Structure formats: C-alpha cells, structure tokens
Amino acid sequence: MPPPAAAVQPSDLGSYQSAARLVLTHDLITAAHPRPGTLDQVLRWADQLARDLRDLLGYTLIATTRQVRLIRRLEALDPTQTSVFTARSGPRRPFDRRRLAYLCLFLASFSRSRVEISLADLVRAFTPTANAIAGLGFDPTVSAHKAAVVDVLDWLAERGALRLSDGSVEAWTADTSRGDALYDIDHDICAVLFRPARPVQHLTSAAGLLDATFTSARRAAQREAAAQRAARALVEHPVVYYAQVEPEVAEALRQSGVAENLARLTGLAVERRAEGVLLADASGKFTDRPFPGRGGAVNRAAGLLLAKIADTLEDPDEHPPLLPLPPAATDQRDLLARIDAALPMAGVVSELAWTAPDPAELDRAEYDPVPRTPMTPPTPATPELLVPFIAATRLRAMIEELYDEVGAASFTITWQHDPSGLLNAAVTFLADLRLLRPVDGGVLVLPAAARYRNIKLALPVRHAEGQLALDLFGGQDLDGQDPEGLGDD
C-alpha cells in the first residue's frame, strides 16, 4: 500500500494536510459551511484524500462540486462527540433529545417533490408525528418547543439544507398564527446529512449502527483490519491507552506505521509513551475541546483541579491507591444499555432486526474453509494498567480549596454559588479528554494528565478584552507538544 499523500509534492504537503484536517473535523463542508473558501480548499485534494482515508481508516469520502461529506466507520459509540449538533443562538449548547428528534422528523418530512416549504406547512406536517411519540410532542404555545424548532432550522440553514427566501423565523416565533417563513430545500444536502449504517426501523439495539468486527482466516486481512481500527481510534480520540483497547489494536499501535501514516496525513506529531500514543497538534485546532485555554469557567476549573491532583500525587504524605483501568468495552456496554433503555420497540420489524453481533458468530464470519496461509496466532493480552484513584470526598475538598484560594467570583455568576456543579462539569470535561476516568466513589487519574503537572495555580488574570483566563506556565494544549508527554517510559 502506498503511503498517504503519495502523489503530493513536498511544497503542497501543508495544503493537503490542512484539507485532511478540515475533512476530519467538520461533519459537512459546503460553499458556506464552515466558512467560504473551505470547499475549494478540500476539493483540490478530493481524489487523493478519498484514497488515503479509505486505505488508512476505512472511511468513505463523498465529494461533489457542492459539498464534501465523510462517512465514518464506527466500532463504538462516542458520547463526547456532541459538538456536531449544537444550537447556534446564544451559547453553543449541544442539542437535547427534543431537538435531535425534531431534526429527524423535519428531514423525514422533506418530500423530494417539493423544492420549497413554508415554516407553517412544515410545522403542520410534523406536529401529528411529534404528538404521536410519547414524551415528545409539539405545542406552539410552549416557548421551549418553539425554541427547539428554531434551533433545528438554524442548524439546517447553517449547513445549506435550508435557505431562507422570504419571511422571518422571528415573526413566526412571536406569533405562530400570523408569522411565517419560506425556505428553499436542498435535497442533496439533506440526503448526505442522514445516512444511517442500517435502516433505523430495523434496529433493536444501538449496537446495530456499529460495524461488526469480523475475523478472517487470511493473515493480511487481519493485519489490515487491526491497523484500520487502530488508526480510527487514534484519529477520533485525544489519546489511546493500550490497556483499554483490544490486544491486536494495541499491537498495531505499538508498531511503526499506523501513527506515522496518520501524522503524514494530518500534519500532527506522534507522541509515544509506555501507556499509549497520541497525535499532538501545536496549533490546537484539531480538537473540539481546547485545553487549557480561554474556555470559560469549566475549562479553568479543570486546569486548577489537575494542578491540585498533581500536588496530591507528588505529596510524599499522600498515598492514593492504584486501581486497574477498565477496558473501553466496559464503558461501551454501559453506554449501550443506557441508550437501549430508551429505544421505542413498537413497530420494529423483528425478522429483519439488526442487533448487537454475537461473538460466536464473529469468529465464524468471513472464514475461508481452505486457507492458503496459516491462522495468525492469538495476540498476547495487554497487561492491565494501574492508575491512581482520587476519592470523591478528596475532589470535593479540592474544589472548596479553590473557591477559598481564588475567590468564588472567579468562577462566574453561573458557578460561584455551585462548587459541586462546577466540580461535576470539570470532571466530565476531563473525562471527555481522557485525562480522568470516573468510577464509583471517585476518579482514576489517567497517564495523559501528567502532561499538565506543570500547570501553576494562579489567580485568573483579566485580559484587555475582559476575558478571565489562567496564567499558565508550561502547560500545553492536549493536542499541543509538551515534552513531558503521557508519563515516563
């Protein structure tokens, strides 16, 4: 297999890598989204990108003159990837379940025979369906319901699926009986926005949306599948720990090739340590959660909390216990169980249903009855990783100490009277970055947190624009290049 960017001249490599990063960090690229000029920048390299993304990651790039869409293969659900569905008005908050449901109902109501639709007609068409779903519904007299509709329309308009041609959504919000808005529908964009891996009406579990991992008798196919799974894990997550992934994926990451090919594709730098590997981005743009930085009170509190944890770990009088880091499969089982608990089962076509794959069936899938090469011997299991445990009571004491040291007002009006809420938000944020791992009774401190042990506790300083930010010394972005790395080899 040729290396990525094989046909790209050295003088053009930076432009190509920038295009690759844009494709990997944006759900859809059009003439206007995420900004003018991006589509032309990506289309220049569309053919080479399609080959490289297919060979390295198993992804499919759909590129036309009007839009670019990357179709990912997913072996696992990722609860941290919420930035795709966010409200444009006010703070960019992730969509709740109501907004996600409204978005699906809107897309389903766009008939191919129509090139435009009024907001009044759209609401009239989707209201009976929404009201037929227990716990959802739509009532034009309820402000929260109207706000959800506006957020969904803004999301679709931002991506070019809808274009406002007349009227005003604000007028409809003020008076649903008199106000109206007229939208042009771009059916091609609507089609690429919703491309489920399986017919959703045939699902009995969210696991049916995932790609099954098949076992082949051919050694080359096994190596290629493991390499692609390893590449997908590395490009989709801030850091990959060997102890959390399957042994064959860990082995593929330990060997040279996978991470180095991704580095050439994206322009990021590879950092390897005994516990895992990551791709580092000094620009801090290849992420949806910059850290540390000017990210608000939660971002600042997370940095201060890590500093407190580092002090605890380095204190000779403190002796935090070491506990094994659970494998990622454990988190997946819990996440799937929570999602499936809310799955409506009425109307599922059971004889065609897609469910979670049976491990016994996976062992027989794609089996060659007359293999021409011997079966690959089992990959040795990765040793468990022992990491420090910080109890919840100690975390609560840390946040109280921070409020006393820097002042409650430093955490903005939202959090100055809610230290427990800020602690929960900061821990969730750090867990998304794979720096902490919540467990019963506290958190596990993951190796990548060592990258921030040089963050100095300092009073927030006010910049000229009025933004409060930490005065950080030595700490870098999670995607930045800190020579301290994950930890000691």
Side-chain angles (χ1 to χ4, degrees), residues 279-457:
L279 295 176
D281 174 23
S283 72
K285 296 179 180 179
F286 194 67
T287 180
D288 58 348
R289 288 173 173 82
F291 175 76
R294 302 178 186 178
V298 174
N299 194 304
R300 298 196 300 275
L304 292 170
L305 188 64
L306 281 187
K308 285 286 186 183
I309 291 174
D311 291 343
T312 298
L313 298 181
E314 294 173 359
D315 189 339
D317 296 328
E318 298 273 2
H319 303 284
L322 299 179
L323 300 180
L325 179 63
T330 301
D331 297 331
Q332 278 296 298
R333 285 193 294 269
D334 294 342
L335 179 59
L336 284 169
R338 294 200 304 272
I339 294 174
D340 289 348
L343 183 67
M345 301 304 296
V348 171
V349 186
S350 58
E351 65 272 17
L352 297 176
W354 291 83
T355 58
D358 184 347
E361 292 297 327
L362 297 182
D363 290 337
R364 294 193 291 270
E366 290 191 4
Y367 178 73
D368 185 351
V370 188
R372 288 171 288 278
T373 57
M375 291 291 289
T376 302
T379 304
T382 303
E384 68 179 7
L385 177 62
L386 298 178
V387 294
F389 169 79
I390 304 295
T393 52
R394 186 70 185 92
L395 292 173
R396 287 193 290 270
M398 289 178 183
I399 200 71
E400 294 291 349
E401 291 170 6
L402 289 175
Y403 270 64
D404 290 339
E405 292 167 1
V406 304
S410 300
F411 298 109
T412 71
I413 296 175
T414 303
W415 302 107
Q416 63 180 341
H417 300 300
D418 187 12
S420 295
L422 181 58
L423 174 63
N424 292 336
V427 168
T428 299
F429 177 74
L430 293 171
D432 287 351
L433 295 177
R434 295 195 171 189
L435 301 177
L436 300 180
R437 202 283 191 180
V439 293
D440 291 340
V443 298
L444 301 178
V445 184
L446 303 190
R451 293 170 61 85
Y452 305 98
R453 60 178 177 262
N454 291 328
I455 290 180
K456 303 298 183 182
L457 179 60

Side-chain angles (χ1 to χ4, degrees), residues 56-57 75 223-237 240 245-246 248-255 258-259 262 277 279:
L56 293 180
L57 298 159
E75 290 98 6
R223 287 198 299 266
E224 181 181 357
Q228 286 189 347
R229 287 161 57 201
R232 289 194 288 268
L234 189 55
V235 82
E236 298 292 353
H237 299 289
V240 179
V245 297
E246 299 90 338
E248 59 272 19
V249 173
E251 183 62 23
L253 287 171
R254 285 193 176 96
Q255 298 175 0
V258 171
L262 285 177
V277 60
L279 295 176

Side-chain angles (χ1 to χ4, degrees), residues 117-135:
I117 190 169
S118 70
L119 179 51
D121 287 342
L122 177 60
V123 170
R124 193 176 301 114
F126 108 99
T127 297
T129 307
N131 288 332
I133 300 174

